[in-house]
Amino acid sequence: MFTGIEELKTIQNNLTSWVHYTPVLTSSAFDEAAGCRGYFKCENFQRMGAFKMRGAMNAVLSLTEEERSRGVITHSSGNFAQAVALSARSLNIPATVIMPRNAPIIKRQAVAGYGARIIECDPTIEARVAVTEEESRRTGAVILHPSDQKEVIEGNSSACLELLQEFPSIQMVITPVGGGGLLAGTALAAKAVNPEITVFAGEPAGADDAYRSLKAGKIIPSVNPITIADGLRTQLGDSNFPIIHKLVKKIIRVEEDEIVSAMRFIWERMKIIIEPSAAVAPAAILKSPRLFKGKKVGIILSGGNVDLDNLPF
Amino acid sequence: MFTGIEELKTIQNNLTSWVHYTPVLTSSAFDEAAGCRGYFKCENFQRMGAFKMRGAMNAVLSLTEEERSRGVITHSSGNFAQAVALSARSLNIPATVIMPRNAPIIKRQAVAGYGARIIECDPTIEARVAVTEEESRRTGAVILHPSDQKEVIEGNSSACLELLQEFPSIQMVITPVGGGGLLAGTALAAKAVNPEITVFAGEPAGADDAYRSLKAGKIIPSVNPITIADGLRTQLGDSNFPIIHKLVKKIIRVEEDEIVSAMRFIWERMKIIIEPSAAVAPAAILKSPRLFKGKKVGIILSGGNVDLDNLPF
């Protein structure tokens, strides 16, 4: 039904020259606080600072020669914009990123630094989509979606594959969920490797459309999400929802103060920098001690791109 | 003349159950900025967050049974206090730490959290030494020095040993220098493994007593050191000065803004948390591009204990 292990391994192999094999860290301080054994897959150490590199790179690698010549385009003000820019540059493909006029200058600089062309638009989702589609029609550039695209999801699965190959005794895995691309990719990998592995996600209570979608059995639109976890202010899509619906056991909602507290815990005790979105998964574990008690839990730390001038502590 | 490779390896082996084997990270962003290839030995990931654990643990392991029964004592308001407390607890030995009355509450809590007894004293070096010696006389507790003690220096050498065993083609190594315990240990290890390796140190210009001591050929006291690198506001001692004088090629002085800038670079690009003292070594490399050009450089990141409520950016 879903992508099988052989296909996922092939994708993982194709990616090895283009993405980092990231380290897995453990922390006795976390284990003591959580009552389980955490295996932290450090995608904050990934190229451009987030797991998004895996999905973007796989999408770009999957293009035909003819498509490559037309280039790629996406609309994003976050990590996926950087991931597309860097992936495209790696293969010498032109990339265009549609960014809202009010995007932080630091994000614009990062995308421009990777060589992508930036087109400004009004700061609404409608404007972003409209400009992207118009530009794609005009130039023939292939549209890449941050989370709701088969190649992106399958590329993302390689992080969990690496983790389980290194630590095959892991019993549970957990990721944050926003657009659903990381969660779907992780679920695909975990279940393909071992159907006994339980898959969880953490989600901000202020942006809990995935939680509600899973309850309802259909996609519930995300309306006015409010959370510090800026990467998770998006919603599930048609490609990843069926995977998540079928393979994910539970979505755990966390409050804003729990996200900040978990982020600070990881910074202080593990000495690594994670962004608020990445703190959502450990926050979910810390608030659910009975669920994870005594288990070996793989945790995908999704990214580490923060603005040091605007920290929540 | 100095401790040989076999003895250092024995010490390294004795420590394996008690300290973390820390990972080595690389960064294409750093390499591009510095013009060399950096191998970052992450002692910020060490137990209690700093390389000090290695020296303290080796000192405690070196005690006789009779000495262990009397316990250990040190005066420190920084990482060494935590290292002694944790080392002693690991072997079930009583530990006492003399701390100035005005030490940050966060440091007191960390030391107390590792089970050491804390005795307050007036916030002067003279008071600290006097109270330590008096308490040692009274209880028989063995005094441990943060940097100027053979066992501490030799324990510290294990970080560089691990680094060179993993990356034998490294041509240069660099550490920060404060009390000199890390620099001396690193120099011992590097020269014992391969006399061709060049050893450097970075030092804050506002606390440059090691630089001046090396120039003068004798220990120049540190008077009123002013630097954000709080771990480096100390001075060389009789045990480590001869090693540093003989084996270290050059001490590179760095300004305060260079320390903060290097710290921020490591945080933003490598996504790891290092304390200001640890940023002094990469800062020294970044300001001396000709010296390190094209070389493979081992960098000991000394620690990662920062107060997130008081960041320099």
Side-chain angles (χ1 to χ4, degrees):
Chain A
M1 176 179 178
F2 297 128
T3 320
I5 187 68
E6 290 313 319
E7 200 176 332
L8 293 180
K9 280 187 183 170
T10 301
I11 290 164
Q12 180 192 12
N13 286 337
N14 292 343
L15 284 173
T16 47
S17 323
W18 307 102
V19 306
H20 289 327
Y21 184 102
T22 52
V24 176
L25 297 182
T26 59
S27 161
S28 51
F30 177 84
D31 293 353
E32 201 172 305
C36 63
R37 173 76 167 156
Y39 297 84
F40 293 87
K41 180 67 171 170
C42 289
E43 290 297 296
N44 52 331
F45 295 165
Q46 187 51 263
R47 289 182 77 195
M48 53 64 55
F51 79 92
K52 295 272 183 187
M53 188 64 196
R54 297 178 183 268
M57 194 71 220
N58 190 51
V60 170
L61 285 170
S62 305
L63 297 174
T64 64
E65 276 304 317
E66 188 272 329
E67 286 170 329
R68 290 185 190 193
S69 72
R70 288 192 270 136
V72 292
I73 186 169
T74 193
H75 61 87
S76 162
S77 58
N79 285 331
F80 193 67
Q82 294 181 50
V84 166
L86 181 54
S87 298
R89 191 181 69 176
S90 302
L91 294 181
N92 221 4
I93 295 173
T96 303
V97 175
I98 313 298
M99 294 188 101
R101 215 178 305 290
N102 60 356
I105 190 96
I106 195 169
K107 304 255 182 188
R108 285 180 60 101
Q109 286 173 337
V111 170
Y114 291 132
R117 185 168 68 107
I118 295 172
I119 297 179
E120 282 189 349
C121 71
D122 290 335
T124 67
I125 256 288
E126 294 75 18
R128 280 160 59 162
V129 172
V131 173
T132 303
E133 289 178 351
E134 185 191 319
E135 186 67 15
S136 167
R137 268 194 305 273
R138 200 177 66 77
T139 63
V142 180
I143 298 176
L144 300 182
H145 191 282
S147 56
D148 193 31
Q149 185 175 330
K150 184 173 186 290
E151 295 77 17
V152 170
I153 295 166
E154 290 172 351
N156 292 344
S157 73
S158 58
C160 183
L161 269 195
E162 288 177 7
L163 175 62
L164 295 175
Q165 285 157 359
E166 200 170 333
F167 297 96
S169 63
I170 283 175
Q171 299 157 295
M172 298 174 159
V173 294
I174 184 167
T175 76
V177 59
L182 176 61
L183 178 55
T186 300
L188 281 183
K191 293 296 187 181
V193 168
N194 176 3
E196 299 296 311
I197 293 174
T198 321
V199 182
F200 295 97
E203 187 174 38
D208 67 346
D209 56 290
Y211 172 85
R212 289 182 288 119
S213 300
L214 222 57
K215 282 263 184 213
K218 61 177 184 180
I219 298 175
I220 306 287
S222 174
V223 180
N224 193 26
I226 298 175
T227 175
I228 190 181
D230 54 322
L232 309 182
R233 296 179 197 140
T234 47
Q235 71 178 45
L236 302 183
D238 294 333
S239 306
N240 54 49
F241 178 72
I243 302 172
I244 293 169
H245 190 231
K246 176 85 178 175
L247 304 181
V248 174
K249 174 91 168 178
K250 189 178 178 182
I251 293 179
I252 300 159
R253 290 176 298 176
V254 294
E255 303 300 328
E256 294 297 290
D257 62 337
E258 293 168 332
I259 298 172
V260 173
S261 165
M263 180 172 160
R264 186 169 179 137
F265 187 96
I266 302 287
W267 282 45
E268 286 187 334
R269 306 306 296 261
M270 296 183 66
K271 314 295 183 192
I272 58 174
I273 289 179
I274 60 170
E275 59 192 60
S277 301
V280 169
I285 295 175
L286 289 167
K287 86 174 292 183
S288 318
R290 278 190 299 184
L291 197 56
F292 296 94
K293 188 175 179 187
K295 300 293 186 186
K296 294 181 178 175
V297 187
I299 300 149
I300 315 283
L301 291 177
S302 49
N305 291 331
V306 293
D307 180 357
L308 291 180
D309 294 318
N310 285 296
L311 295 179
F313 36 74
Chain B
M1 172 178 181
F2 297 128
T3 321
I5 187 68
E6 290 313 318
E7 198 175 334
L8 293 180
K9 279 187 182 171
T10 302
I11 290 164
Q12 180 192 13
N13 285 336
N14 292 342
L15 284 173
T16 48
S17 321
W18 307 102
V19 306
H20 288 328
Y21 184 102
T22 52
V24 176
L25 297 182
T26 58
S27 162
S28 52
F30 177 84
D31 293 353
E32 202 172 304
C36 63
R37 173 76 168 157
Y39 296 83
F40 293 87
K41 179 68 170 169
C42 290
E43 290 297 296
N44 53 331
F45 295 165
Q46 187 51 264
R47 289 182 77 195
M48 53 64 54
F51 79 92
K52 296 271 184 188
M53 188 64 198
R54 297 178 183 267
M57 194 70 222
N58 190 50
V60 170
L61 284 170
S62 305
L63 297 174
T64 64
E65 276 305 318
E66 189 272 327
E67 286 170 328
R68 289 186 191 194
S69 71
R70 288 192 269 136
V72 292
I73 186 168
T74 192
H75 61 87
S76 162
S77 58
N79 285 331
F80 193 67
Q82 294 182 50
V84 167
L86 182 54
S87 298
R89 191 181 72 174
S90 303
L91 294 181
N92 221 6
I93 295 173
T96 304
V97 174
I98 313 299
M99 293 188 101
R101 215 179 304 287
N102 60 356
I105 189 94
I106 195 169
K107 303 255 182 189
R108 285 179 61 101
Q109 287 174 337
V111 171
Y114 290 131
R117 185 169 68 109
I118 295 172
I119 297 179
E120 282 190 348
C121 70
D122 289 336
T124 67
I125 256 290
E126 294 75 17
R128 280 160 59 161
V129 172
V131 174
T132 304
E133 288 178 352
E134 184 191 319
E135 186 67 15
S136 168
R137 269 195 305 274
R138 199 177 67 76
T139 63
V142 179
I143 298 176
L144 300 182
H145 191 282
S147 56
D148 192 32
Q149 185 174 331
K150 183 173 186 289
E151 295 77 14
V152 170
I153 295 167
E154 290 171 351
N156 292 344
S157 73
S158 59
C160 183
L161 270 195
E162 288 178 8
L163 175 61
L164 296 176
Q165 285 157 358
E166 199 171 333
F167 297 97
S169 62
I170 283 175
Q171 299 157 295
M172 298 174 160
V173 294
I174 183 167
T175 77
V177 61
L182 176 61
L183 178 56
T186 300
L188 281 183
K191 293 296 187 181
V193 167
N194 176 3
E196 299 296 312
I197 293 175
T198 321
V199 182
F200 295 97
E203 187 174 39
D208 67 346
D209 57 291
Y211 172 85
R212 287 182 288 118
S213 300
L214 221 58
K215 282 263 183 213
K218 61 176 184 180
I219 298 175
I220 305 289
S222 175
V223 179
N224 193 26
I226 297 176
T227 174
I228 190 181
D230 54 322
L232 309 182
R233 296 178 197 141
T234 47
Q235 70 178 45
L236 301 185
D238 294 334
S239 306
N240 54 49
F241 179 71
I243 302 172
I244 292 169
H245 189 229
K246 176 87 179 173
L247 303 181
V248 174
K249 174 89 169 178
K250 188 178 178 182
I251 293 178
I252 299 158
R253 290 177 297 176
V254 295
E255 304 299 329
E256 293 297 290
D257 62 336
E258 293 168 331
I259 299 172
V260 173
S261 166
M263 179 171 161
R264 186 168 181 137
F265 187 97
I266 302 287
W267 282 44
E268 286 188 334
R269 306 306 296 262
M270 295 183 66
K271 314 295 183 191
I272 59 174
I273 289 179
I274 60 170
E275 58 192 62
S277 301
V280 169
I285 295 176
L286 288 166
K287 87 174 292 183
S288 319
R290 276 190 300 184
L291 197 55
F292 296 94
K293 188 175 179 186
K295 300 292 186 186
K296 294 180 178 174
V297 187
I299 301 149
I300 315 283
L301 291 178
S302 49
N305 291 331
V306 292
D307 179 357
L308 291 179
D309 294 319
N310 285 297
L311 294 178
F313 35 75

